């Protein structure tokens, strides 16, 4: 069965520091992986996704993630954190169930950026 | 702007009351989903629809019903609200196609059952 694990429900970084949010997956088929961001009182927005091809994917707002099959990981990074990056981040894997596609979400990581 | 609109944004119910949450999308998407978001549990799928007139259960369907009479609308009903249904509810939609397509989410409905 497919699953997603996000290590660390809360992460704090200083402004300007590296952001690293961890996501590990379990999948019996080649995974399609996604990162979403949720700003306070808003819905989720797609940051980036990995389907096939290049394992380093770039998203919006300077974020990127690297798919590592050997480590079953899809960690999200940003070289320099901004105050505006404070939000909750969700990793998800797309799975096929009964002929349709659904996400399995991780439990989320809340990022706090310290001035 | 095109997107997913949820109404209402906030609601307080008494135990036993009923209500319907409305989700509307104007992107002609085939698939629509209802999720609930609870602290430390991420998003859990309640029900989903793969097209007009079709619905299916997700991982936490008990206590909820849904209908998709029109392609653009997906309704979530609570027949007899319970405090355990206090949550933030999100609707999402995606277009027909492969599993690489992302979802478009609404901004959520915050429901409190007292």
């Amino acid at each position: 069965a497919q699953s997603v694990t996000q290590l660390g429900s809360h992460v704090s970084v200083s402004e300007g520091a590296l952001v690293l949010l961890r996501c590990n997956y379990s999948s019996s088929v080649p995974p399609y992986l996604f990162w979403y961001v949720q700003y306070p009182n808003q819905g989720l927005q797609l940051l980036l996704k990995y389907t096939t091809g290049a394992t380093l994917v770039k998203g919006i707002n300077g974020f990127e993630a690297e798919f590592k099959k050997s480590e079953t990981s899809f960690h999200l990074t940003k070289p320099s954190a901004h105050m505006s990056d404070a939000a909750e981040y969700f990793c998800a894997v797309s799975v096929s169930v009964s002929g349709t596609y659904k996400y399995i979400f991780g439990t989320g990581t809340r990022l706090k950026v310290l001035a | 702007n095109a997107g997913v609109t949820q109404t209402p944004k906030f609601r307080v119910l008494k135990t036993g009351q009923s209500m319907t949450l409305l989700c509307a999308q104007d992107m002609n998407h085939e698939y629509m989903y209802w999720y609930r978001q609870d602290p430390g549990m991420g998003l859990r799928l309640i029900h989903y629809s793969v097209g007009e007139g079709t619905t299916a259960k997700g991982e936490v369907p008990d206590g909820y019903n849904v209908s998709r009479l029109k392609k653009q609308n997906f309704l979530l009903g609570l027949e007899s609200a319970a405090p355990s249904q206090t949550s933030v509810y999100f609707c999402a939609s995606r277009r027909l196609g492969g599993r690489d397509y992302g979802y478009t989410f609404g901004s959520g409905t915050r429901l409190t059952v007292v």
Side-chain angles (χ1 to χ4, degrees), chain B residues 7-102:
Chain B
T7 53
K9 295 190 182 305
F10 302 94
R11 185 74 185 269
V12 178
L13 284 181
K14 294 183 178 179
T15 297
Q17 286 185 319
S18 64
M19 77 164 294
T20 300
L21 282 67
L22 172 63
C23 176
Q25 54 93 4
D26 58 4
M27 299 168 287
N28 203 35
H29 285 176
E30 289 291 333
Y31 299 152
M32 296 186 76
Y33 307 83
W34 276 107
Y35 286 89
R36 60 177 290 172
Q37 183 182 27
D38 302 291
M41 304 189 75
L43 280 80
R44 293 180 292 168
L45 183 63
I46 304 172
H47 286 280
Y48 64 99
S49 168
V50 300
E52 181 178 321
T54 71
T55 63
K57 294 180 180 180
E59 47 179 324
V60 288
D62 293 343
Y64 305 95
N65 56 75
V66 287
S67 64
R68 183 116 181 253
L69 300 179
K70 295 182 179 181
K71 185 176 182 179
Q72 63 268 33
N73 296 336
F74 195 29
L75 279 62
L76 178 70
L78 286 73
E79 292 184 344
S80 179
S84 61
Q85 294 178 303
T86 293
S87 187
V88 181
Y89 292 85
F90 286 98
C91 177
S93 70
R94 69 180 285 271
R95 66 189 222 196
L96 185 67
R99 62 186 175 118
D100 58 323
Y101 293 151

Side-chain angles (χ1 to χ4, degrees), chain A residues 19-57:
Chain A
V19 176
L20 171 60
L21 305 182
R22 300 178 186 274
C23 173
N24 288 88
Y25 69 90
S26 172
S27 179
S28 55
V29 298
Y32 284 16
L33 296 159
F34 301 77
W35 275 100
Y36 280 82
V37 60
Q38 183 182 31
Y39 298 104
N41 300 313
Q42 294 187 26
L44 280 70
Q45 302 174 31
L46 181 64
L47 264 182
L48 49 79
K49 65 180 179 181
Y50 168 78
T51 55
T52 58
T55 56
L56 181 64
V57 292

Side-chain angles (χ1 to χ4, degrees), chain A residues 5 9 17 19 25-26 28 35 39 44 47 51 58 61 69 73 77 82 85 92-93 98-99 101 105 108 113-114:
Chain A
T5 301
S9 58
V19 176
Y25 69 90
S26 172
S28 55
W35 275 100
Y39 298 104
L44 280 70
L47 264 182
T51 55
K58 296 185 184 299
N61 301 336
K69 184 178 179 180
S73 68
T77 60
H82 293 167
D85 294 328
V93 61
S98 302
Y101 299 112
F105 284 94
V113 181
L114 307 172

